[in-house]
Structures are given as C-alpha cells and as structure tokens.
Amino acid sequence: MDKALTILYAVAVLSLGYPAYTGAEENTGFVNKEKERTKREVQKTLTVTTILENPFTMMRDSQMEGLCIDLLSDLSKSLGFNYTISVVKDGRYGAKDKDGNWNGMIGEIIRKEADLAVATLTITAAREKVLSFTKPFMQTGTGILLRKDATIESSYLFSFLSPFSKETWIGIVIAYLITSLCLFLVGRLSPFEWTEISSEQKQFTFMNSLWFGAGAVTLQGVEPHPKSVSGRIIAVIWWVFSIILLAAYIASFAAFLNSGNEQTPNIQTFEDLVKQRTLEFGTIEGSSTFNYFKNSKNPTSRMIYEYMDKRKDYVMVKSFDEGMRRVKESNYAFLGESFMQDLVVAKHCDLVRAPEVITTRGYGIAASLDSPFIKSLSVAILEQIESGNLDYLLKKWRENTCSMKGSAGWTPVPPQTLGGIFLILGIGLALGVIVSLIELVLKAKCTADQEKKSCCSAFSEELGQRFRTRMANQDNPEKVKP
Ligand code: GLU
C-alpha cells in the first residue's frame, strides 16, 4: 500500500512539475531543480514592464540600459528565460485610483499586460495583497533631498562656533570663570602675591584675574603676572589649556571650511521641515513614499501628509527627475527614497540629503499572484546578492563626482576628546590653591614664632585679615590709600 502511494506521489510530482525536495537533498540540488522547473514553465517570452529612472533604467539610442536592465539580463541567463521589455504606459509606479483600480506597473501586472515588473518598485503591504514580490534586491529608507544653499542666514553668521559643540563652549566659559576665581583666591591667600596687607598692593583683583585669563586665550600675555609659585602654577596650567584649545579650534575650523559644511542646510529632520516656512515640500504622486505618510500614525508624518494633501496640485511631482529639478531650481524639498537620493547627491554636488532617514523598505520584482516564477526569481536574486554581483552593478552604475564633499566628512570636536585637558586644568587649579594655602601656613608659622602665638590662631588671623581687608576696602576705599 505504502509503495503504491509513493509511486502515485512521484507521478503527480512529475506531471505537475512540483519540486520533489526532501530533507536530505543538497541546496544546490534544490536550486537546480527550481531552475529546471522555471525553464519548463517559461514556454513563452516574458513581457517585462519598467519605469525610466536614472541609473536603473535609461534610454540610450533607443536601447535600454541601467542597473535594472543588467539585473534582468543576469536573471534571465541564470533561469533561462527570454523577455521583451517596455516602459510602463502611464509612467507611474502603481497606486489605487478613486475607483479602486490600480495604475502604473502594478495595474499592468494585474491586467496581465505584463508578466514581470523590474524596477525600483517598493514592496508595500497594499501591493503585496494584489500581486507577488520577490525578496528585495535593494534596501532603502525615506529621506529629504535639499539644495545645499537652501539654508537660513544665521547658520552662516555663527558658523565660527561650529568647531566645538554647545557642551564644550559651556565647559570653556565655566573653566575660564573658575580659573579667574582661583587666581583671585591665590592672589589673596598667597603672602608672596600680596605681601603687605595694609598697603593694598595686591594685583589680582577679580577683574585683573579675568583680564589675565582672557589675555592667555588670545595669546596676548597681559599684565599683571603672578609672582608666587601658586599663582604661577595656575597661570601655566591655564596657558597650556588655552594653547591646546586653540589648536583644536583652528584644526577643526579649517576642516569645517574645507568640508563644504558651511553650506549644509539646517534642516536635519522631518520635524525641522514641518516647522519651517521657507521651503515647500512634496513627493511623487501615488508613490510608496506618499502612501507611507498617508498611512503613518506618527504625528510629524501625519502633518507632512496633511500639508502635501492640501497642496497636492502644486507640491506633488510626476517623477524623481522632476522632483530633483524642482529642488535645484526653487525653494523645494523633495521627500523620497534615501537610496535614490544618495545616488543623486553623489552626482550633483549642489544637492544634499538631510541626515534623518525614516523606515526601511526594499525594492522587489513583481509578478501576478498566481505567478510560478516568484520563488525561482527570489532564489536567483539572493544568489546575485551573495555572489557580489549586485554590489558590482551598483558600483558600475553609480557616478561619484562629489563623494568626499558630503556632510559626513566633518563633525565638531567631540566633547570627550577635550575631556583630558579639562581634567588637567582642574588638577592644576586645585594644586595652585593648595600651594597658596601652604604658603600662607608657612607665613603664619613664622608670625607665630615671632609673636609667640599658636600657629592656628596666627593662620586664622592672617586669613581673616586678608578677606576682611577686602570688605573694608570695598566699603571705604579711601581708607587704605597711603
Ligand atoms: N519606489 C517608489 C514606488 O515604488 C517610488 C519612489 C518613491 O516612493 O519615492 O512607489
């Protein structure tokens, strides 16, 4: 009985052309069988639909060429099918119209006018319901394409601040104030800095300390100069800090100016785009990008959709090329697939893609729901990816005219890089103050020996005098004048 069933199954498999795949079978065996099956099934010449999109499908001397054309040719060789290719009649990717009918390449497949769609056709849930997709041959996200000079004036005006991050600038100001305060303290505490309390000859008032610090930053060596060891420790450590900081600033600013970043638009995210009023923005009519914003629940994406929907008569474009042209010629930001935008940015140096990229999707080859080729095509596509052929095709068709001038070439000096000099400054300041206290203790010890007092009381007296005199002088400056 068992034997009879096995024979029956084998006959069924052979007559239906189904793969007789068992667990013991080698992977290559499976692939070969799949190929055989496709060859058997592809009796006729396949009709392929595509869309003109640089560098995927382009017309040159009435011949088609491009990445998708090469991919299709490689797939046909590997699976052994013939094809004829034509450009989609309405020039669209495919979306549902008001009556619920699909247009573009999707419509042509559904109406059986074409067997396959080979293009930068995004795999989406809505499309997957009405036809079959292969595994993706490329991945993409959604980004914003901008013109480099589509920027707000203030970013030019204050670009001298860009070498350091906001945190670093705040750190520098705090370090400057603390150093000036330490210098002022040392100027008061150290008996070698302020020798005669009664004569009010001290040099390091708080204003003088600020002046001394500013002089070091600008390499001007302003007076007064400290005389005590403690004051000199603080001065030297602040000079070292200033020199390293200046070197880092100059190096980073030079790199910034050479990177072309001074022209980077200040729209970094989709939220920035929604908040501004200078640029209009839109995408390709009925594209997967438009439908992404339409279906998204994210508040920013909803705002983008509402903006585009209200102004659809003039912010939407027909093709990627038209979108790119609008970005170049007017105040317009083009929302689209980051993969295509990166290709365009590498070729057109006046364009830039904003850093934020949202969602991940893939481009797949589409066929009708009942198509027998999808599985074989998916396997063949994975083979193309794994063998590195797709990378090769991408390199072949990608034009890198302005690759290194992109926004990724420069970043401000990271705050942690400068962490070491802040630490050394902190240690130096603490050392200076401690040494000034030691100097004062030594002086107090001498006074205690001379006046036969305890060292502690001489120290606290000295300390009190040094700070009380200040108060008294502030109350009545005339009193201390000789
Ligand atoms: N690849 C997209 C599609 O299949 C068109 C381009 C886009 O959405 O930006 O609809």
Side-chain angles (χ1 to χ4, degrees):
M1 182 65 184
D2 273 0
K3 217 172 185 179
L5 272 177
T6 316
I7 292 167
L8 214 65
Y9 175 71
V11 170
V13 160
L14 283 174
S15 59
L16 289 171
Y18 239 74
Y21 180 66
T22 69
E25 203 167 21
E26 281 298 310
N27 194 27
T28 47
F30 170 69
V31 172
N32 289 339
K33 280 225 165 89
E34 278 290 301
K35 286 178 185 170
E36 279 307 308
R37 182 166 77 95
T38 310
K39 272 182 199 161
R40 272 204 311 278
E41 281 162 347
V42 181
Q43 299 300 326
K44 55 170 188 167
T45 299
L46 295 180
T47 318
V48 179
T49 180
T50 189
I51 194 163
L52 292 180
E53 201 73 88
N54 211 324
F56 297 92
T57 309
M58 298 168 288
M59 273 300 201
R60 193 150 299 164
D61 307 327
S62 70
Q63 290 285 316
M64 275 191 208
E65 60 172 28
L67 196 151
C68 282
I69 306 300
D70 282 357
L71 176 66
L72 178 62
S73 150
D74 291 341
L75 292 175
S76 76
K77 277 181 210 140
S78 123
L79 295 172
F81 63 84
N82 296 321
Y83 61 89
T84 57
I85 184 160
S86 55
V87 176
V88 59
K89 288 181 204 83
D90 62 5
R92 290 169 187 264
Y93 283 87
K96 239 190 213 173
D97 62 20
K98 281 184 226 106
D99 311 323
N101 299 322
W102 285 86
N103 58 24
M105 289 181 280
I106 308 284
E108 289 192 358
I109 303 262
I110 292 174
R111 293 189 300 274
K112 304 265 183 201
E113 291 163 18
D115 298 305
L116 296 178
V118 181
T120 47
L121 189 64
T122 312
I123 305 170
T124 66
R127 290 171 178 173
E128 186 80 62
K129 280 183 200 157
V130 292
L131 38 77
S132 308
F133 276 100
T134 59
K135 295 272 177 287
F137 58 88
M138 247 150 223
Q139 300 288 349
T140 183
T142 301
I144 311 166
L145 186 69
L146 300 155
R147 205 179 55 240
K148 273 188 183 168
D149 60 4
T151 177
I152 294 168
E153 288 277 291
S154 60
S155 65
Y156 282 113
L157 223 56
F158 295 102
S159 57
F160 70 90
L161 292 175
S162 10
F164 294 146
S165 63
K166 200 166 72 200
E167 294 78 21
T168 310
W169 282 117
I170 293 172
I172 292 169
V173 171
I174 293 174
Y176 169 59
L177 292 176
I178 293 180
T179 308
S180 303
L181 190 71
C182 286
L183 205 55
F184 163 73
L185 264 181
V186 165
R188 296 236 127 214
L189 290 175
S190 171
F192 301 101
E193 207 60 69
W194 186 20
T195 33
E196 274 306 312
I197 301 173
S198 52
S199 70
E200 182 59 10
Q201 279 173 335
K202 64 186 183 307
Q203 311 186 61
F204 282 102
T205 58
F206 191 62
M207 281 312 282
N208 276 353
S209 307
L210 286 173
W211 179 237
F212 181 84
V217 173
T218 51
L219 301 180
Q220 291 308 307
V222 293
E223 300 217 329
H225 288 296
K227 288 178 293 192
S228 64
V229 174
S230 50
R232 285 176 180 178
I233 290 176
I234 291 179
V236 164
I237 216 77
W238 179 246
W239 288 339
V240 171
F241 177 85
S242 307
I243 287 279
I244 296 173
L245 209 66
L246 276 177
Y249 179 85
I250 292 167
S252 177
F253 199 38
F256 168 77
L257 293 178
N258 286 329
S259 71
N261 259 41
E262 75 281 20
Q263 292 181 343
T264 303
N266 54 3
I267 292 169
Q268 308 275 315
T269 63
F270 284 87
E271 212 176 317
D272 293 345
L273 189 67
V274 175
K275 280 185 194 153
Q276 57 80 46
R277 292 278 163 267
T278 327
L279 302 180
E280 288 181 337
F281 53 89
T283 185
I284 302 175
E285 266 170 31
S287 64
S288 60
T289 303
F290 181 75
N291 282 307
Y292 165 77
F293 288 110
K294 188 176 175 182
N295 300 330
S296 174
K297 295 199 167 48
N298 172 295
T300 309
S301 301
R302 293 264 4 121
M303 280 157 86
I304 291 177
Y305 167 69
E306 275 152 28
Y307 172 94
M308 293 194 295
D309 198 45
K310 261 191 223 149
R311 301 163 178 80
K312 59 173 168 274
D313 292 340
Y314 58 96
V315 296
M316 302 303 276
V317 292
K318 294 251 170 331
S319 65
F320 191 90
D321 263 2
E322 190 191 330
M324 187 188 76
R325 246 179 292 121
R326 246 180 112 165
V327 172
K328 281 176 169 244
E329 288 162 11
S330 61
N331 278 347
Y332 184 74
F334 178 54
L335 312 186
E337 283 162 347
S338 54
F339 181 76
M340 308 250 266
Q341 292 178 345
D342 287 343
L343 292 180
V344 155
V345 164
K347 199 170 150 198
H348 300 262
C349 308
D350 53 338
L351 297 180
V352 67
R353 178 175 60 69
E356 190 183 43
V357 171
I358 51 172
T359 81
T360 345
R361 311 144 151 255
Y363 298 138
I365 294 179
S368 60
L369 274 177
D370 55 359
S371 168
F373 323 121
I374 286 297
K375 181 75 182 168
S376 330
L377 277 171
S378 282
V379 174
I381 283 173
L382 293 176
E383 279 177 347
Q384 297 285 327
I385 295 172
E386 286 164 20
S387 67
N389 190 39
L390 256 159
D391 287 339
Y392 161 76
L393 290 182
L394 198 57
K395 232 186 222 157
K396 177 178 164 190
W397 291 104
R398 186 186 195 125
E399 279 177 61
N400 267 352
T401 352
C402 35
S403 53
M404 282 327 286
K405 283 232 158 196
S407 55
W410 179 90
T411 47
V413 179
Q416 56 274 28
T417 316
L418 298 172
I421 56 157
F422 278 94
L423 182 72
I424 290 174
L425 179 70
I427 294 172
L429 295 183
L431 188 71
V433 174
I434 292 168
V435 171
S436 72
L437 282 172
I438 294 172
E439 286 169 343
L440 193 62
V441 168
L442 292 178
K443 173 147 196 252
K445 198 168 176 297
C446 276
T447 319
D449 287 347
Q450 280 166 11
E451 295 178 10
K452 308 253 177 293
K453 287 190 217 164
S454 78
C455 197
C456 267
S457 65
F459 179 77
S460 54
E461 211 170 280
E462 184 80 32
L463 200 64
Q465 269 180 338
R466 279 167 185 274
F467 284 95
R468 220 175 307 121
T469 315
R470 168 91 181 130
M471 301 298 174
N473 292 347
Q474 268 179 350
D475 291 348
N476 187 4
E478 292 299 314
K479 242 163 90 176
V480 291
K481 281 195 178 152

